């Protein structure tokens, strides 16, 4: 080994030197132990704070400190006093005075401005604030702040750590979001996931809304993609976590707001499934038949208005289906049509076929609109026209044609219409009024067929006898839809009234409740029905007051059918909104006794199909008598009073009243058949349409006086147009012949009057028409 290593490893030379070296080592060891003890005490919860310490040193610690101090002074007497000693002595003096920190001292540590939780500075500020509180207060002091503010709670538990108390002060007292919540919110805004929400059929229908508009709005508002799962029925939603949670909460709120009720229909008959769907769409409510109880419906709606509308439409639909099925159907064929047993065999008989029918206006909600067809004569190559020439055939007025029943029996039109008016108590038969309305007899498919199609149920062209047998043997439904003849769509009304009309029909409960004159000689009940009507005139205007825009271009249309699409431009939703009573123009008159007219009576309908003409007819015979105010049903009197108060702007009637659905009168129950706002005008028509001033001055014309109406159904918001002529004295042959000539004139009109640029009849006036 080298000499240096030997010198380092050399042991002490004497015992005294070894004793002195050990003494010095023990001194430095004690000093190091004291310094280490002080450092460990700094890291404990009772570190030096701005306040008195809650922990006192034991006697042994004091002795060790004194010994360490003496030893340090011995080792290095020239070292200056440390800052820690000054802080410790300062805190000791505060503790000796007995002062404790307050909530004001705690609030001084709170930053004046809180950074936005989504900003990067929030986490840094939160961490610095947490460290500041931990250095400034002891564990017991922070717990005292929480107890003083929150009372006894889990945040004040004694087993919690000091950092947890500081977090509770920041989050519970100062309402700062936790770092965990901030991180979760960031993740929810960026992470895309999928959620499945199970729904029932009724919930899905209401969430979808009309044509899916409500579901589309939800998708846009919450910025998510929504699709449908069929089995099991559920909504599949794709989006960020945050938006999925918000949308799920919103759907839960929607579910709680849905209203459900079971409703008993006036008659114990189930509504057809296709009509259930149409009523659900119109009423914005989910309907379904209760299979265990015929005549009972389960209705789920969003609000009371939709629930009430569903009840009213379901009750009306059931009654109208039954009334339509009981209406007799007759057919008029001109001479030379052939194909029937009443005429001899012809070389070239007329052929007929079912043509698709497209209406520019909504069809009645009781019709299956998946496929509608009209029976028309088929055109021939060698003929210039395929409609009836009334001048040659004589038409209905001369009676040369054939009026046939469903069983192909020849009928007299007047006799068939008035057959059941043979009464014992009515001596003056002239009180019976007959009206003929223009329109189309439409054939629809069976109720269960929903798929839209242009293919008729009876394809090809056939003679009328074969068509009649097919109609009698197959479950098809024939419905009359009113319409205007083409020339009247381009004429201004001479006089115009705006009315509100309610029509009630008696609920059939059996033959014993029908009037005596409504039973045939064979004892079978006829199609007569009791009617109760209320008409309220809202405004009257003269021709000079009409301010209708002119049209320089007529709409495209099918000339043979007499259809128009001018009213497709009308905004039905705007027209359905109620008008404020304080609306300026046009002025709304205050209802008086002369504006309200109520009558009751009996009426019957007969549908007349005319396939050789552009339009068909519906004839109605009515016998009615006016009802004075004292004899009117109490429900109608109450409704008129509420309507008068609403139009006057009374504070106790801020909303538009609804007419009663059912009422009792004369010991019978009546159901609402029609609730409409009507704009009514009178027309004068000649063979070429509306007569010109020159024709009126120089030619002797036989004019037809027609009553034309534009009707808005206030229950369904559907618009229809009507044209009718009247026979005031059905017993007079002259009046009856004039009536049939008017029917011939209006039903064969199909060509536009040339050079007429007058305004279209009954141009939409939403402000008046939506008043009721």
């Amino acid at each position: 080994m080298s000499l240096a290593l030997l010198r380092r490893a050399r042991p002490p030379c004497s015992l005294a030197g070894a004793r002195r070296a050990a003494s010095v080592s023990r001194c430095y060891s004690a000093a190091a132990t004291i310094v280490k003890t002080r450092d460990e005490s700094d890291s404990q919860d009772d570190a030096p704070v701005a306040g008195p310490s809650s922990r006192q040193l034991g006697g042994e610690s004091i002795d060790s400190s004194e010994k360490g101090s003496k030893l340090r002074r011995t080792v290095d007497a020239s070292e200056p006093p440390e800052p820690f000693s000054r802080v410790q002595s300062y805190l000791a003096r505060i503790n000796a005075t007995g002062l404790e920190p307050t909530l004001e001292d705690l609030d001084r540590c709170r930053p004046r401005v809180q950074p936005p939780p989504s900003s990067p500075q929030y986490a840094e500020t939160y961490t610095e604030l947490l460290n500041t509180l931990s250095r400034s207060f002891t564990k017991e002091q922070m717990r005292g702040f929480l107890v003083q503010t929150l009372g006894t709670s889990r945040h004040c538990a004694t087993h919690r750590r000091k950092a947890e108390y500081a977090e509770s002060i920041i989050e519970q007292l100062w309402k700062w979001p936790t770092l965990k919540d901030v991180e979760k919110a960031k993740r929810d805004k960026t992470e895309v996931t999928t959620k499945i929400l199970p729904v029932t059929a009724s919930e899905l229908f209401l969430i979808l809304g009309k044509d899916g508009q409500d579901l589309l709005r939800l998708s846009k508002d919450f910025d998510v993609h929504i699709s449908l799962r069929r089995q099991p029925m559920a909504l599949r939603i794709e989006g960020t976590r945050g938006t999925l949670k918000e949308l799920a909460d919103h759907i839960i709120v929607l579910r709680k707001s849905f209203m459900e009720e079971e409703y008993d229909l006036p008659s114990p008959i189930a509504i057809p499934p296709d009509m259930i769907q149409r009523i659900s769409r119109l009423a914005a409510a989910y309907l379904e038949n209760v299979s265990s109880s015929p005549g009972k419906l389960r209705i789920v709606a969003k609000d009371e208005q939709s629930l009430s509308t569903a009840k009213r439409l379901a009750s009306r639909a059931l009654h109208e289906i039954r009334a339509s099925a009981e209406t007799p159907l007759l057919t008029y064929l001109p001479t030379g049509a052939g194909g029937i047993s009443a005429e001899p065999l012809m070389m070239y008989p007329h052929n007929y076929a079912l043509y698709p029918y497209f209406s520019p206006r909504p069809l009645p909600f009781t019709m299956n609109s998946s496929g509608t067809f009209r029976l028309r004569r088929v055109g021939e190559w060698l003929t210039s026209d395929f409609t009836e020439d009334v001048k040659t055939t004589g038409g209905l007025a001369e009676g040369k044609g054939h009026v046939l029943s469903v069983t192909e029996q020849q009928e007299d039109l007047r006799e068939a219409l008035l057959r059941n008016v043979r009464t014992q108590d009515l001596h003056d038969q002239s009180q019976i009024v007959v009206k003929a309305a223009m329109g189309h007899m439409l054939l629809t498919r069976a109720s269960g067929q929903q798929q839209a199609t242009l293919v008729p149920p009876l394809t090809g062209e056939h003679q009328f006898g074969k068509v009649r047998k097919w109609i009698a043997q197959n479950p098809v439904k024939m419905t009359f839809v009113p319409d205007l003849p083409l020339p009247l769509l381009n004429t201004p009304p001479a006089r115009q009234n705006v009315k509100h009309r309610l029509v009630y029909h008696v609920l059939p409960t059996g033959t014993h409740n029908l009037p005596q004159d409504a039973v045939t000689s064979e004892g079978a009940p006829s199609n007569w029905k009791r009617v109760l009507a209320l008409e309220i005139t809202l405004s009257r205007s003269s021709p000079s007051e009409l301010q209708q825009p002119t049209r320089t271009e007529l709409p495209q249309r099918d000339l043979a059918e007499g259809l128009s699409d001018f009213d497709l431009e009308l905004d039905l939703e705007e027209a359905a909104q109620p008008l404020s009573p304080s609306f300026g123009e046009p002025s709304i008159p205050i209802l008086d006794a002369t504006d309200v007219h109520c009558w009751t009576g009996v009426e019957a309908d007969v549908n007349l199909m005319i396939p050789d003409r552009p339009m068909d007819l519906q004839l109605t015979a009515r016998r009615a008598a006016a009802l004075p105010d004292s004899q009117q049903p109490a429900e109608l009197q109450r409704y008129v009073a509420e309507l008068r108060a609403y139009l006057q702007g009374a504070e106790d009637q801020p909303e538009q009243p609804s007419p009663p659905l059912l009422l009792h009168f004369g010991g019978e129950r009546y159901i609402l058949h029609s609730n409409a706002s009507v704009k009514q005008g009178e027309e004068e028509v000649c063979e070429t349409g509306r007569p010109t001033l020159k024709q009126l001055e120089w030619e002797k014309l036989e004019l037809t006086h027609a009553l034309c109406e534009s009707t808005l159904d206030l229950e369904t918001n559907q618009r229809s147009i009507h044209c009718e002529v009247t026979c005031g004295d059905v017993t007079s042959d002259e009046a009856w012949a004039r009536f049939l000539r008017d029917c011939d004139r209006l039903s064969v009109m199909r060509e536009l009057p040339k050079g007429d640029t007058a305004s279209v009849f009954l141009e939409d006036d939403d402000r008046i028409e939506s008043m009721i």
Side-chain angles (χ1 to χ4, degrees):
M1 290 188 297
S2 64
L3 182 60
L5 292 176
L6 291 175
R7 287 177 180 175
R8 288 184 182 179
R10 186 179 58 182
C13 300
S14 63
L15 184 60
R19 186 181 298 112
R20 285 194 301 270
S23 176
V24 173
S25 299
R26 285 195 299 270
C27 291
Y28 281 106
S29 177
T33 303
I34 293 174
V35 173
K36 182 179 181 181
T37 304
R38 186 183 66 185
D39 294 340
E40 291 177 354
S41 64
D42 292 344
S43 64
Q44 300 297 326
D45 291 344
D46 52 353
V49 295
S53 175
S54 60
R55 184 180 300 176
Q56 298 180 354
L57 299 175
E60 296 179 0
S61 301
I62 295 175
D63 295 341
S64 301
S65 300
E66 292 177 356
K67 293 178 181 180
S69 299
K70 292 178 181 180
L71 181 60
R72 284 195 298 274
R73 286 195 299 269
T74 303
V75 174
D76 192 4
S78 63
E79 184 180 356
E82 297 183 4
F84 178 79
S85 300
R86 293 197 301 269
V87 172
Q88 186 71 21
S89 60
Y90 172 73
L91 294 178
R93 287 196 301 271
I94 293 178
N95 189 26
T97 58
L99 296 177
E100 290 287 341
T102 62
L103 292 176
E104 295 180 357
D105 299 328
L106 180 65
D107 288 338
R108 291 192 185 98
C109 299
R110 182 178 182 178
R112 294 184 178 180
V113 179
Q114 175 186 338
S118 58
S119 64
Q121 294 79 13
Y122 181 81
E124 299 176 1
T125 306
Y126 186 97
T127 304
E128 293 176 0
L129 183 57
L130 186 67
N131 295 334
T132 300
L133 294 178
S134 299
R135 289 193 304 266
S136 301
F137 302 98
T138 64
K139 175 181 177 180
E140 292 298 330
Q141 289 170 351
M142 287 190 287
R143 181 178 180 275
F145 293 147
L146 294 172
V147 172
Q148 184 178 355
T149 306
L150 303 177
T152 304
S153 66
R154 62 181 183 85
H155 302 286
C156 308
T158 56
H159 64 275
R160 304 186 74 196
R161 294 180 295 129
K162 186 177 183 179
E164 294 176 345
Y165 286 137
E167 291 176 355
S168 297
I169 290 175
I170 298 173
E171 298 165 6
Q172 302 301 320
L173 271 60
W174 296 343
K175 305 300 181 183
W176 284 37
T178 65
L179 295 179
K180 183 178 180 181
D181 293 342
V182 172
E183 187 65 25
K184 183 177 180 299
K186 291 181 180 178
R187 187 173 67 253
D188 291 345
K189 290 182 179 180
T190 56
E191 184 176 350
V192 178
T193 184
T194 302
K195 188 170 186 177
I196 304 298
L197 290 179
V199 292
T200 62
S202 59
E203 293 172 348
L204 177 61
F205 178 84
L206 297 179
I207 291 174
L208 281 173
K210 185 177 182 180
D211 299 328
Q213 294 179 359
D214 292 351
L215 187 65
L216 178 61
R217 189 180 300 110
L218 285 178
S219 178
K220 292 181 178 180
D221 293 344
F222 290 91
D223 194 18
V224 296
H225 179 267
I226 305 177
S227 58
L228 176 64
R229 291 180 56 180
R230 293 189 176 182
Q231 293 182 355
M233 188 177 294
L235 293 176
R236 184 180 181 273
I237 308 174
E238 183 179 354
T240 60
R241 290 182 178 271
T243 54
L244 289 184
K245 184 178 183 303
E246 294 176 1
L247 181 57
D249 295 340
H250 180 73
I251 291 178
I252 291 175
V253 174
L254 284 180
R255 285 173 172 172
K256 293 181 179 179
S257 65
F258 294 160
M259 309 172 63
E260 182 175 348
E261 182 178 337
E262 288 191 352
Y263 175 67
D264 292 323
L265 294 170
S267 301
I269 303 174
I271 298 180
D274 63 319
M275 190 169 295
I276 285 284
Q277 296 182 11
R278 292 194 293 273
I279 296 174
S280 297
R281 284 176 54 85
L282 290 173
Y286 179 81
L287 283 78
E288 64 177 356
N289 289 312
V290 179
S291 57
S292 60
S293 179
K296 177 174 287 188
L297 286 177
R298 174 177 170 265
I299 307 176
V300 184
K302 293 182 179 180
D303 48 40
E304 284 286 353
Q305 182 178 0
S306 299
L307 191 67
S308 175
T309 303
K311 294 178 182 178
R312 301 167 75 92
L313 292 182
S315 302
R316 281 183 53 186
L318 194 63
H319 172 70
E320 292 181 16
I321 291 174
R322 182 171 181 174
S324 177
E326 294 175 351
T327 303
L329 176 64
L330 301 178
T331 304
Y332 168 76
L333 296 178
T335 56
I340 57 176
S341 58
E343 279 194 352
L345 294 178
M346 300 182 61
M347 183 175 297
Y348 300 106
H350 296 169
N351 289 333
Y352 301 90
L354 293 174
Y355 286 82
Y357 176 88
F358 297 96
S359 175
R361 287 162 298 278
L363 294 173
F365 75 99
T366 55
M367 289 184 61
N368 182 6
S369 57
S370 61
T372 55
F373 306 90
R374 181 177 184 266
L375 184 65
R376 287 173 45 182
R377 177 183 166 185
V378 179
E380 300 174 4
W381 289 103
L382 300 179
T383 57
S384 60
D385 197 0
F386 55 90
T387 57
E388 179 188 359
D389 185 1
V390 177
K391 293 182 179 180
T392 303
T393 62
L396 292 171
E398 296 186 10
K400 296 179 181 179
H402 306 280
V403 177
L404 305 175
S405 65
V406 178
T407 58
E408 205 174 333
Q409 294 181 357
Q410 191 144 355
E411 298 276 359
D412 179 80
L413 187 58
R414 179 164 52 171
E415 181 66 22
L417 184 63
L418 305 179
R419 178 177 298 136
N420 299 309
V421 191
R422 314 301 183 192
T423 60
Q424 308 297 331
D425 54 348
L426 184 61
H427 302 287
D428 187 5
Q429 205 168 2
S430 63
Q431 295 181 11
I432 299 176
V433 177
V434 176
K435 296 184 177 182
M438 309 297 131
H440 306 282
M441 284 301 304
L442 300 183
L443 182 145
T444 56
R445 289 178 172 269
S447 177
Q449 301 178 4
Q450 296 295 315
Q451 186 176 3
T453 179
L454 297 178
V455 180
L458 176 63
T459 58
E461 57 182 72
H462 310 276
Q463 296 183 9
F464 179 77
K466 184 176 180 179
V467 176
R468 181 200 60 77
K469 293 179 181 179
W470 180 87
I471 293 177
Q473 295 173 0
N474 290 271
V476 294
K477 180 182 178 182
M478 303 290 289
T479 306
F480 179 82
V481 178
D483 203 349
L484 278 181
L486 176 60
L488 297 186
L489 292 172
N490 195 43
T491 57
R495 288 183 298 275
Q496 187 173 346
N497 299 327
V498 177
K499 296 183 177 182
H500 174 46
R501 179 183 298 158
L502 300 178
V503 179
Y504 289 85
H505 287 176
V506 69
L507 283 173
T509 55
T511 306
H512 61 280
N513 284 336
L514 295 174
Q516 291 182 358
D517 57 317
V519 180
T520 62
S521 58
E522 291 81 5
S526 72
N527 65 310
W528 281 88
K529 51 185 175 290
R530 292 193 180 277
V531 180
L532 178 65
L534 175 71
E535 282 191 357
I536 302 175
T537 302
L538 299 174
S539 68
R540 299 180 177 88
S541 58
S542 60
S544 60
E545 295 175 351
L546 297 177
Q547 298 178 357
Q548 295 181 335
T550 61
R551 292 200 176 192
T552 59
E553 195 170 355
L554 289 173
Q556 299 295 327
R557 58 184 295 129
D558 181 357
L559 298 180
E561 288 295 335
L563 305 180
S564 172
D565 60 354
F566 79 95
D567 47 350
L568 283 177
E569 304 171 1
L570 305 181
D571 188 355
L572 294 180
E573 293 184 359
E574 181 181 355
Q577 297 297 326
L579 182 67
S580 172
S582 60
F583 200 74
E585 293 293 338
S587 60
I588 301 176
I590 305 302
L591 299 182
D592 54 28
T594 59
D595 297 324
V596 181
H597 177 62
C598 184
W599 58 268
T600 182
V602 185
E603 67 178 21
D605 298 329
V606 172
N607 293 328
L608 183 63
M609 184 168 58
I610 313 177
D612 289 82
R613 299 183 184 181
M615 307 200 81
D616 303 310
L617 299 176
Q618 184 180 67
L619 291 90
T620 302
R622 177 184 301 165
R623 187 181 73 246
L627 282 178
D629 295 344
S630 58
Q631 298 181 10
Q632 296 177 9
E635 296 89 343
L636 292 183
Q637 295 181 17
R638 190 181 309 112
Y639 173 72
V640 172
E642 293 176 355
L643 181 61
R644 182 181 289 109
Y646 170 74
L647 294 178
Q648 293 176 353
E651 296 181 357
D652 57 346
Q653 190 63 43
E655 297 182 357
Q656 174 183 337
S658 297
L661 175 63
L662 298 171
L663 56 84
H664 292 79
F665 177 73
E668 293 178 317
R669 295 178 65 200
Y670 287 79
I671 187 171
L672 182 64
H673 171 72
S674 174
N675 174 22
S677 176
V678 181
K679 184 183 290 186
Q680 191 179 82
E682 296 182 3
E683 294 290 341
E684 292 182 346
V685 185
C686 62
E687 293 181 357
T688 58
R690 181 176 180 269
T692 62
L693 294 177
K694 180 180 179 180
Q695 289 176 324
L696 292 176
E697 292 178 359
W698 299 97
E699 301 179 13
K700 294 183 180 180
L701 298 178
E702 184 180 355
L703 299 179
T704 296
H705 297 272
L707 184 67
C708 299
E709 295 180 347
S710 175
T711 302
L712 177 66
D713 191 327
L714 300 179
E715 303 282 345
T716 62
N717 290 340
Q718 291 183 338
R719 187 181 301 276
S720 59
I721 49 181
H722 303 254
C723 176
E724 62 182 29
V725 290
T726 305
C727 177
D729 187 2
V730 71
T731 59
S732 171
D733 294 338
E734 182 181 357
W736 180 255
R738 188 185 312 112
F739 170 72
L740 293 181
R741 283 195 299 271
D742 294 340
C743 293
D744 288 333
R745 175 176 294 174
L746 293 176
S747 60
V748 298
M749 282 185 177
R750 65 180 186 87
E751 300 209 353
L752 293 170
K754 298 180 181 180
D756 192 354
T757 59
S759 59
V760 176
F761 168 72
L762 294 180
E763 189 72 24
D764 182 43
D765 186 357
D766 287 340
R767 294 187 302 176
I768 296 180
E769 207 155 300
S770 62
M771 177 166 51
I772 296 299

